Amino acid sequence: MLEIAVGIILGCCALGAGAAMIAGIGPGIGEGNAVAKACEAIGRQPECKGDVTTTMLMGCAIAETTGLYALVIAILLIFVAPGRFIDILLSVMK
């Protein structure tokens, strides 16, 4: 019975990590749109290239944090959470 519970814990942690990494799609799409709009703006008004580029880079950096948070959550679910959950399971079963 204990082996089944441990397997369920490991499987759910792996599924959760995979679901968390789906969040990496959002920043990629958002940053692509931001760069495309910045290129359009620079093409229309080349004299404001510095302002547009600075604002675009700041926005891309902020958007990228979403992907980094997802990566951190996935790493925690793979390496930290299973041990904690198994410890909790063993303490409950005693």
Side-chain angles (χ1 to χ4, degrees):
M1 185 69 180
L2 181 63
E3 293 83 13
I4 294 173
V6 170
I8 290 172
I9 289 172
L10 294 175
C12 289
C13 286
L15 284 173
M21 287 312 299
I22 291 174
I25 295 170
I29 293 170
E31 290 173 21
N33 286 336
V35 172
K37 297 298 180 181
C39 289
E40 287 178 19
I42 292 170
R44 290 182 184 153
Q45 294 181 344
E47 65 274 2
C48 68
K49 178 182 177 184
D51 293 337
V52 170
T53 303
T54 303
T55 305
M56 178 202 62
L57 289 175
M58 183 61 71
C60 285
I62 291 171
E64 187 63 30
T65 59
T66 307
L68 292 175
Y69 289 144
L71 178 65
V72 168
I73 294 299
I75 289 172
L76 288 174
L77 280 171
I78 291 173
F79 295 110
V80 177
R84 299 259 180 171
F85 290 144
I86 291 171
D87 289 343
I88 292 170
L89 176 69
L90 291 176
S91 69
V92 169
M93 293 188 75
K94 287 183 180 181

